[in-house]
Amino acid sequence: MMKNIIKLTLATCLIVSVNSCSDILDNSGVAGDSQPTQFLTADQLEKASETNLGIPAAFVGGIYSQMIQTGSGGSTSQTDFGHKSYDLFSDMLSGDMALSVSTYGWYRADITEFQAPLDYTRGSNRQVWRYYYRIVRSANTVIQNLGGNDAVPELVSNKYAMGQAKAMRAHSYFYLTQFFQKEYNASEAILPLYTEPTGGNLPKSTASEIYDLMESDLTSAISLLEGFNRSAKNEVNQDVAKAILAYVLGAKGGRDTEVATLTQDVINSGAYSMLSSDELTTTGFADASNPSWMWGIDVVENNGLGLVSWWGQLDAYSYSYGWAGDYKVIDKTLWDAIPADDARKAQFLNNPASGRNLQPLKKFFASGTIGGTSITVTADYVYMRIEEMYLLNAEANAKAGNDGAAKISLKALLANRIPNTAYVDGLAGQALKDQIYLQTRIELWGEGKSYLAMKRNKATTVRGTNHLSFVGDPIPYNDERMQFEIPLDEIQNNPFITDQNQ
């Protein structure tokens, strides 16, 4: 544990040098401010690497540290705490997560009332844009230092660093495409495509160009990460790179057989096992050592997380808004769709008189006491579980017309969720696809995957009765309210971008 703390501390020091609080263009992809004097350039990093071969790997660790860094979206908002910030954004946009009580106001206007997707001056747009472009910028610095986009480093450790950096660049562009484009349209210009850490403003590239880069990066990462045995689950290994590529191809559409192959490869690796029925309501979602977790981070006291964190927003067992009066709960209609004999039904409080009805009190909990006993968060962050691969595999096979394989994966997941999976045998075609989509929403609730599944399945969501706004309104996946706006800063300061995406 101490070794990991030291490693993350070093990485944080390195990354802070690259990403100061005053950066916009130089470190986040948003136009505007000048380069800070404390910026660690690629030239400086290269010179340091000549005497310390561990520098590139440590710098990759710095990228991971940004994933949990408060303020990494460039704001002082208590919704700004790294990648998990946008898991919450997307869960609420999808409607599967309801804000049932709003005492402090976080998320209510910008997200649940859709003000950010309809107004480019709202701060949440800038948070999303800035955070993912900061990761892109940092990844580009590592890639350049290791020889550039086309290089294959000679040192094995540097190959692994290059593979991780390319995977993280693709991961960030993937979320940018999901948040800033309604649906895949190859010819639509949607985002600036930065592949170097330095340079001026760029115009929007087309979706096809950005998806091509993601596919190239991830294909390269999969090759470079062959044989990589990571020291902790916060690092991207070959399986995680394959999973990200599966998500990219799934979002693009028309590549279902490849998605099925990639996800089956991960399943067949044997490195992970699905949560048992007991773990669904006990230890499955707060400990990175769980064998179902493919990617996540072991949060320690040294990380300095507290109220401004994913746990601080959602979890009633932390010193949190989830305890104090901003309740995030499962959509009532979705909860009603969970059979009474499904083990996942018990993850949510069923007590309408409590005021906390349908909070995930048995899915996410960081302590044994409502309100918690400490303001310091040490419960872990999950980014990806093996269950996602079974569900994505089932979805891809069903879309490819391979219903038999789809049923095998779906039933494998449900075997530890419900007492009898025989009903799956009678499903086919659209009915099977619909069931896989429903099970994805149930299984992965609160983990930031509902929005991605909604877009892949071109679904229309209808908010249940426990939402505070837009109850009963059908909202299709490609509605204007499901897409963030290019932020005001970029429109003002990048002369090549003057309009919003369609």
Side-chain angles (χ1 to χ4, degrees), residues 196-346:
E196 305 290 341
T198 57
N201 296 306
L202 291 177
K204 290 189 270 187
S205 292
T206 64
S208 64
E209 292 170 325
I210 295 168
Y211 274 78
D212 284 349
L213 177 72
M214 290 190 287
E215 186 173 350
S216 173
D217 272 354
L218 290 163
T219 300
S220 176
I222 291 167
S223 175
L224 290 164
L225 292 170
E226 178 69 34
F228 174 52
N229 294 311
R230 58 189 176 180
S231 60
K233 284 187 180 177
N234 67 293
E235 299 172 330
V236 172
N237 66 4
Q238 189 179 57
D239 289 335
V240 174
K242 288 180 179 180
I244 298 170
L245 180 55
Y247 273 114
V248 169
L249 298 181
K252 185 176 183 179
R255 308 282 291 275
D256 300 315
T257 300
E258 293 167 81
V259 174
T261 298
L262 287 162
T263 51
Q264 193 65 53
D265 283 349
V266 177
I267 293 168
N268 290 346
S269 73
Y272 320 94
S273 57
M274 287 189 281
L275 295 175
S276 68
S277 57
D278 288 340
E279 289 173 316
L280 290 170
T281 54
T282 54
T283 60
F285 301 94
D287 188 348
S289 67
N290 191 288
S292 79
W293 287 33
M294 292 175 57
W295 191 24
I297 183 167
D298 179 9
V299 176
V300 296
E301 190 171 335
N302 189 65
N303 295 133
L305 298 185
L307 181 63
V308 184
S309 68
W310 182 87
W311 289 98
Q313 282 291 351
L314 181 70
D315 175 45
Y317 289 87
S318 301
Y319 178 79
S320 68
Y321 291 105
W323 156 63
D326 279 3
Y327 300 159
K328 292 87 175 176
V329 304
I330 188 172
D331 173 85
K332 177 64 162 56
T333 305
L334 179 58
W335 187 80
D336 287 343
I338 306 175
D341 60 358
D342 189 321
R344 296 167 297 184
K345 191 104 172 175

Side-chain angles (χ1 to χ4, degrees), residues 386-398:
I386 189 61
E387 286 85 349
E388 297 173 41
M389 297 297 97
Y390 281 88
L391 288 160
L392 193 53
N393 180 270
E395 179 186 304
N397 275 309

Side-chain angles (χ1 to χ4, degrees), residues 46 177 237 434 480:
E46 182 177 4
T177 63
N237 66 4
D434 291 344
E480 184 72 20

